[in-house]
Amino acid sequence: MYANRVLSGMRPTGSLHLGHYHGVLKNWIKLQHEYECLFFVADWHALTTHYDSPEVIQDNVWEMVIDWLAAGVDPSQAVLFIQSQVPEHAELHLLLSMITPLGWLERVPTYKDQQEKLTEKDLSTYGFLGYPLLQSADILIYRANQVPVGEDQVPHIEFTREMARRFNHLYGREIGFEQKAEAAVKKMGSKKARLYEELRNRYQEQGDDEALESARALLNEQQNLSLGDRERLFGYLEGGGKMILAEPQSLLTTASRMPGLDGQKMSKSYNNTITLREDANSVSKKIRTMPTDPARVRRTDPGSPERCPVWQLHQVYSPVDVQSWVRVGCTSAGIGCLECKQPVIDAVLKEQEPMRERAQMYLESPSLVRNLIADGCEKARELARETMRDVREAMGLRYD
Ligand code: SF4
């Protein structure tokens, strides 16, 4: 187990909209204060579905990073990088592919699901079948133990956990493991060593999960252990071999269903989005022309908010008093629809204002964005190299 480290990525396949802001970015902004966070542009993942239109990726990478920064992702708190600039991801993906049973990949629920949904694309490719494994490599290479996901992505984390276990089982057995682990216990100092042994016994003999957690915490606090010894002691604790790859946990995020301009979920494919930094006039126009309750043909017809997409936006953006003003005004025909839409327009513009301001600075000096991404790639690479040293050694590929 390693420091609480969060990893999350996004595919650069289009402009980000308010659905991304409410569904993902707000969560990232919160997480960056609570954990060590790594956020990456998943450009290789974008190629698994957009291999025939690389220009989409090229156009969107930098715009997406500016969107992140505009939304409040802070490069001094989180490491921001581009997946393809850390080629170790590809190496780990390849090495893991040696031990991945095909059936495991075919069983991942999103594989068939996506193939059926994206019928306009030929996804019977090796890259598409292997994308959950690439995701596993992304996570495992940073020994990230927390991965924010929605309910539908939980099977991917489960798959990653299985991959880590399989890897550790196959390659975590070194000659003289027991002796080396016992020597490492002694290095903890007699008091802590005794506590570790006691917790280990409680876990192994009585299956006491609390003891396991306490022992892990004890190892995480231990300053004087080398990385190798720490891995050995994590493995020794659970009765296995050396733990080279850490099993991640799903950090379940509550699903946010941001409504689009037509009441369906906001999504590029429904053409119902407001982009993150959309021009204020365009935002006002889009909301002013939104469809409303079809029963309100004339201003004097009473309506029902439940049948109106604007009401859904009020539920995201308006305080309780404005919501009750809408409810009363709509059902009694006391207010007109344009009047009703104004507080939503004001709230969206207010939300976007700091984003536009923050983005301006980066748009004016693109080198700022390039530099902070270059820094992020370097930091990410350092972490990735550390894991790859152990992986190569375990798989008999270390030649230095
Ligand atoms: S008054 Fe508001 S909630 Fe009612 S139909 Fe018009 S826009 Fe929709």
Side-chain angles (χ1 to χ4, degrees):
M1 201 65 48
Y2 294 83
N4 267 336
R5 188 175 286 162
V6 165
L7 179 96
S8 191
M10 247 192 226
R11 293 168 174 230
T13 51
S15 306
L16 298 191
H17 50 66
L18 293 177
H20 294 110
Y21 177 64
H22 286 269
V24 182
L25 292 174
K26 268 165 83 173
N27 192 35
W28 281 14
I29 292 158
K30 185 168 137 285
L31 291 172
Q32 71 188 357
H33 300 296
E34 297 167 4
Y35 298 96
E36 177 188 350
C37 285
L38 293 134
F39 300 134
F40 71 101
V41 178
D43 54 348
W44 277 336
H45 281 286
L47 275 179
T48 61
T49 48
H50 288 68
Y51 56 84
D52 54 353
S53 47
E55 67 286 353
V56 173
I57 296 161
Q58 191 54 234
D59 293 346
N60 284 303
V61 167
W62 298 108
E63 280 300 302
M64 187 168 88
V65 174
I66 293 177
D67 278 339
W68 292 356
L69 298 164
V73 175
D74 180 353
S76 69
Q77 303 259 9
V79 176
L80 311 182
F81 68 98
I82 299 174
Q83 183 187 29
S84 65
Q85 302 309 296
V86 185
E88 285 79 4
H89 286 234
E91 185 185 355
L92 185 57
H93 179 214
L94 171 85
L95 294 178
L96 291 176
S97 77
M98 307 296 174
I99 62 164
T100 309
L102 269 182
W104 286 17
L105 286 168
E106 286 158 350
R107 268 204 319 265
V108 174
T110 46
Y111 175 60
K112 286 222 161 59
D113 224 52
Q114 291 282 306
Q115 266 192 334
E116 280 161 19
K117 268 195 200 140
L118 303 171
T119 43
E120 75 284 4
K121 293 179 191 290
D122 178 8
L123 292 181
S124 48
T125 57
Y126 173 56
F128 186 69
L129 175 68
Y131 99 85
L133 187 64
L134 180 57
Q135 257 185 357
S136 299
D138 299 334
I139 298 167
L140 296 172
I141 205 159
Y142 297 108
R143 290 160 162 161
N145 57 352
Q146 304 284 344
V147 185
V149 285
E151 203 80 57
D152 57 328
Q153 290 282 312
V154 170
H156 287 221
I157 305 304
E158 244 338 289
F159 172 81
T160 304
R161 291 166 62 82
E162 277 176 33
M163 284 309 307
R165 278 198 287 270
R166 184 164 167 81
F167 186 95
N168 291 335
H169 177 72
L170 281 168
Y171 304 111
R173 309 214 165 263
E174 56 184 344
I175 300 161
F177 174 74
E178 298 267 323
Q179 290 82 345
K180 284 183 185 165
E182 277 158 23
V185 175
K186 288 205 183 95
K187 290 183 198 158
M188 294 173 74
S190 57
K191 216 165 133 198
K192 298 241 170 88
R194 242 195 336 273
L195 179 60
Y196 172 85
E197 290 289 13
E198 194 188 304
L199 293 166
R200 177 173 173 264
N201 287 342
R202 259 172 49 202
Y203 173 66
Q204 292 196 359
E205 285 163 19
Q206 300 153 32
D208 182 340
D209 288 331
E210 255 176 52
L212 176 65
E213 278 314 310
S214 309
R216 281 176 175 163
L218 181 69
L219 289 177
N220 274 328
E221 282 163 17
Q222 201 68 27
Q223 301 288 336
N224 61 336
L225 289 174
S226 69
L227 200 61
D229 275 341
R230 196 185 303 269
E231 286 164 2
R232 267 177 211 110
L233 291 184
F234 277 121
Y236 191 51
L237 186 59
E238 294 183 60
K242 188 173 166 183
M243 195 180 82
I244 301 164
L245 296 178
E247 288 180 39
Q249 304 285 338
S250 304
L251 196 60
L252 259 189
T253 52
T254 35
S256 131
R257 187 192 171 279
M258 176 71 188
L261 293 163
D262 56 359
Q264 298 187 79
K265 184 180 176 199
M266 191 176 279
S267 158
K268 194 174 62 155
S269 42
Y270 299 142
N271 199 19
N272 64 359
T273 62
I274 296 175
T275 56
L276 222 62
R277 296 177 272 132
E278 191 157 335
D279 169 73
N281 288 332
S282 163
V283 172
S284 308
K285 192 168 162 213
K286 277 185 175 174
I287 299 176
R288 259 194 236 117
T289 51
M290 270 180 78
T292 59
D293 175 3
R296 282 204 85 181
V297 182
R298 284 176 299 269
R299 163 72 175 78
T300 48
D301 295 331
S304 162
E306 274 67 32
R307 287 197 299 258
C308 177
V310 180
W311 172 242
Q312 293 191 36
L313 288 179
H314 272 297
Q315 287 174 305
V316 175
Y317 285 104
S318 299
V320 186
D321 56 329
V322 176
Q323 288 190 22
S324 58
W325 169 77
V326 172
R327 190 170 277 291
V328 173
C330 179
T331 50
S332 64
I335 56 169
C337 289
L338 270 182
E339 208 180 339
C340 175
K341 288 170 174 176
Q342 195 55 47
V344 173
I345 297 175
D346 295 342
V348 172
L349 293 180
K350 191 166 169 226
E351 181 174 73
Q352 288 178 316
E353 202 178 294
M355 299 195 210
R356 281 196 214 91
E357 273 169 24
R358 274 192 291 259
Q360 199 50 38
M361 174 172 82
Y362 296 108
L363 289 167
E364 279 165 12
S365 53
S367 60
L368 213 60
V369 184
R370 307 254 166 180
N371 290 345
L372 70 88
I373 287 291
D375 278 357
C377 291
E378 201 32 59
K379 281 185 200 144
R381 255 196 118 173
E382 258 170 52
L383 297 171
R385 282 193 193 115
E386 212 174 87
T387 309
M388 286 315 295
R389 257 196 304 275
D390 294 346
V391 168
R392 285 188 207 120
E393 184 172 324
M395 293 182 87
L397 300 167
R398 190 149 174 198
Y399 302 107
D400 54 356

